[in-house]
Amino acid sequence: QALEQMKIMDVVKGKAGIGGHNKKDMGAHKFWATQPVPQLGEGPPIDDGYIEPSKPREEVRQEPYPLPKDFEWSTLDINDPKQNKEVYDLLSLNYVEDDDASFRFQYSAEFLQWALKPPGYFKEWHVGVRVSSNKKLVAFISGVPITLRVRGKVFTASEINYLCIHKKLRSKRLAPVLIKEVTRQVHLQGIFQAIYTAGVVIPTPISVCRYFHRALNIPKLLDVEFTHVPRNMTAARMIRVNKVPDTPTLNIRPMEERDVVPVADLFSKYMRRFDMVPVMSLEDVHHQFLSGQGTGKIGDGGQGRRVGQVTWTYVVENPDTRRITDFFSIYYLPSTIIHNPDHKTLEAGYLYYYATDVAFEDGADDDGRLKNRLQSLIGDALVVANQAKLDVFNALTLMDNVSILKDLKFGPGDGFLNFYLYNWRTSKLAGLEDESGVK
Ligand code: MYA
């Protein structure tokens, strides 16, 4: 798929608090050179498969890796509200910022509950480091189990995320120790592959995606300098151009318990379109799409979100057949606005998974039917996001997103996301071929 040059390239100077794209000196990766990952500059593999073989449990290192003195390991019990809050506090002050340190991801405690406890999670994979003397949490890394299909092969892996070291403890080579310790914990469960994403480029991405942003609340986005008024434009015109319809175009309604089976079916069929996807059980579908809706209560200051809401999932039901024909899902991830006297939080939604059965009709991909349907479907996601009083709606250049970004008035941001596999070789997946976001 060709991504056309965006006309509105300058409209949104995307800063969703996404890690930067700073390529450090590609030469030396003292740690990554020792790990079972493809090294930079290696040619494409002949076959897909592991890099080093799995080990029996008794051959896995049994003792934790040593930490510098004054620090100790601590398994975090995310079910304990106090420890859940400790992780939240660490991340909200020290996690990923954009290149010029204007925005920082602010995962909520509820989001972390949701993300860290999918079906079959292991509490041992929620790895913390504390200061021995006062037990303050100063570093964290996590894994959750995931079943992946990469090209033709299906395997169990861990999804590694939320690697975070307190700002005062940076550049002391603590990250490799955390990574090795979570690797050990994953190995102890008989799992030897992992998937992870990062803003930074390390050995070796299998794909890179760009963040695109759809501005919803223009006055605020201008105030906090997330975006600016381009030449030949005025703020008033920008507001008009970006106005989101009041009502959805399709027959959408929030997903319910009874939709789990049809949504799972639609999801797995739609995912056949792509080369690297999660394989989800019914429990996974329930967790990913239904469990994050928060309490019934509409929260803070009349905002259109429920207390503790992390996700929105909507289905499209055919009124005649009662069949579920489409669904889309959004997750809510605000960012802290680091220096602004008036605004503390950038309210952001992210396009998550979606599917439509139009994709299964003969020729729909080629004659524009699929693209049109996705435009309506994701257009309706914008309506939902706007009604939830989100300031911006973000999407990556993956799945079928590229086909609809321009028409739905998304603009390219300055954040990129690199995708990695640990101990698994495969050739590069479709993605961006250069940093301009243009293939
Ligand atoms: S991505 C989000 C990462 N978090 C942040 O960006 C938050 C803000 N930053 C920080 O907290 C720190 O800067 C971090 C690094 C903790 C990132 N992924 O200790 P150091 C390598 C992998 O001196 P610090 C996410 O959560 C770096 O290239 N490696 O550095 C997914 C260098 O190695 P080398 C990274 O800045 C995480 C070494 O660490 C990353 O104090 C996936 C320097 O260590 C990074 N994001 O701390 C982890 N950043 O010399 C891998 C730096 O070789 C999982 N480094 O270049 C692998 C699979 C494990 C499971 C396997 C199971 C089988």
Side-chain angles (χ1 to χ4, degrees), residues 39-294:
Q39 299 300 315
L40 295 169
E42 236 179 75
I46 297 161
D47 287 317
D48 284 17
Y50 61 76
I51 295 169
E52 65 181 26
S54 309
K55 286 187 226 170
R57 196 180 203 277
E58 55 288 1
E59 283 176 32
V60 176
R61 182 188 165 106
Q62 301 293 314
E63 325 73 49
Y65 284 90
L67 278 170
K69 80 167 185 22
D70 304 330
F71 297 98
E72 61 189 41
W73 294 111
S74 169
T75 301
L76 272 285
D77 177 1
I78 298 300
N79 289 316
D80 172 5
K82 193 171 146 251
Q83 297 182 50
N84 184 192
K85 168 102 172 20
E86 287 183 290
V87 179
Y88 166 80
D89 286 338
L90 174 71
L91 296 182
S92 67
L93 293 173
N94 301 280
Y95 201 51
V96 177
E97 299 178 2
D98 70 320
D99 279 349
D100 26 84
S102 310
F103 302 95
R104 180 168 55 238
F105 279 147
Q106 199 194 330
Y107 287 92
S108 66
E110 293 87 355
F111 192 113
L112 295 168
Q113 281 278 344
W114 172 70
L116 294 176
K117 293 189 335 183
Y121 79 92
F122 302 100
K123 66 172 189 328
E124 297 80 7
W125 294 7
H126 302 157
V127 177
V129 174
R130 293 180 187 278
V131 176
S132 308
S133 60
N134 61 11
K135 308 296 177 206
K136 184 181 161 69
L137 183 69
V138 288
F140 185 70
I141 190 168
S142 71
V144 292
I146 184 171
T147 305
L148 281 178
R149 175 177 61 75
V150 180
R151 301 203 154 95
K153 300 202 167 152
V154 175
F155 53 91
T156 308
S158 56
E159 182 180 348
I160 307 296
N161 206 345
Y162 309 112
L163 166 61
C164 184
I165 295 177
H166 193 286
K167 290 190 174 197
K168 294 213 167 117
L169 296 172
R170 297 278 168 88
S171 305
K172 298 181 187 304
R173 311 297 303 181
L174 203 52
V177 187
L178 283 155
I179 294 167
K180 285 192 285 186
E181 183 59 15
V182 81
T183 301
R184 190 180 78 83
Q185 291 292 353
V186 172
H187 285 172
L188 285 171
Q189 300 297 340
I191 294 172
F192 294 85
Q193 272 69 41
I195 181 169
Y196 46 104
T197 60
V200 292
V201 178
I202 46 176
T204 298
I206 49 163
S207 192
V208 54
C209 291
R210 186 168 191 164
Y211 275 100
F212 274 67
H213 309 278
R214 173 56 161 88
L216 300 173
N217 184 353
I218 304 273
K220 178 165 165 189
L221 295 178
L222 291 172
D223 268 3
V224 304
E225 293 179 52
F226 183 88
T227 183
H228 59 272
V229 182
R231 271 171 292 145
N232 323 325
M233 263 270 187
T234 61
R237 173 134 184 271
M238 235 174 129
I239 293 170
R240 229 178 310 123
V241 169
N242 285 289
K243 193 170 157 34
V244 176
D246 292 330
T247 48
T249 56
L250 300 171
N251 190 28
I252 64 169
R253 62 162 173 81
M255 181 181 172
E256 296 170 17
E257 205 77 40
R258 62 186 158 120
D259 304 318
V260 168
V261 170
V263 165
D265 187 50
L266 205 52
F267 173 81
S268 67
K269 282 193 188 138
Y270 196 79
M271 290 298 125
R272 290 182 197 154
R273 301 172 59 73
F274 311 115
D275 281 338
M276 184 168 78
V277 298
V279 177
M280 290 199 206
S281 66
L282 291 180
E283 290 72 29
D284 292 329
V285 166
H286 188 284
H287 179 83
Q288 295 298 328
F289 301 133
L290 205 56
S291 73
Q293 300 185 25

Side-chain angles (χ1 to χ4, degrees), residues 354-370:
Y354 54 84
T356 172
D357 69 3
V358 171
F360 318 140
E361 294 170 10
D362 275 347
D365 229 336
D366 301 320
D367 66 14
R369 255 177 299 152
L370 176 60

Side-chain angles (χ1 to χ4, degrees), residues 1-3 48 149-151 195 197 205-210 271-277 396-402 416-421 426-434 437-439:
Q1 284 154 327
L3 178 66
D48 284 17
R149 175 177 61 75
V150 180
R151 301 203 154 95
I195 181 169
T197 60
I206 49 163
S207 192
V208 54
C209 291
R210 186 168 191 164
M271 290 298 125
R272 290 182 197 154
R273 301 172 59 73
F274 311 115
D275 281 338
M276 184 168 78
V277 298
L396 284 161
T397 52
L398 44 67
M399 293 199 285
D400 288 306
N401 297 359
V402 168
F416 289 79
L417 194 64
N418 297 284
F419 286 73
Y420 300 93
L421 289 172
T426 194
S427 39
K428 282 259 183 315
L429 298 165
L432 299 178
E433 276 154 25
D434 66 51
V438 183
K439 258 193 183 179

